[in-house]
Amino acid sequence: MSFTDKAKNKVEELSGAAKERVGDMTDNERMRAEGASERSEARTRQAGEKVKDAGRDAKDAFTKK
């Protein structure tokens, strides 16, 4: 996962968290749900990228001797 991808995912996660908090404060259920969804999507992308990185690392460990 490149640094740029990590940064984009983190920004989206923080943006979602902010939306969720604003939705809570204003009793706007739609905004809260959008924020939770954005945050969840960003976390899912980060987890997927970590799995890819782990797979590459495992492959490299077996191919390098």
Side-chain angles (χ1 to χ4, degrees):
M1 175 190 260
S2 72
F3 175 76
T4 306
D5 291 337
K6 287 180 184 178
K8 285 180 184 177
N9 287 336
K10 196 56 152 174
V11 167
E12 186 171 341
E13 183 179 350
L14 293 174
S15 171
K19 261 188 183 178
E20 193 173 1
R21 284 190 203 115
V22 170
D24 282 341
M25 292 169 53
T26 61
D27 289 330
N28 185 335
E29 194 62 34
R30 182 176 176 204
M31 184 178 279
R32 191 194 69 71
E34 284 178 14
S37 176
E38 284 180 17
R39 203 166 93 191
S40 177
E41 288 174 15
R43 285 183 177 172
T44 301
R45 267 195 303 282
Q46 286 175 335
E49 291 295 331
K50 287 180 182 179
V51 168
K52 281 191 223 176
D53 288 345
R56 282 189 209 113
D57 291 344
K59 178 184 171 192
D60 290 344
F62 285 110
T63 57
K64 292 181 182 178
K65 289 186 179 185

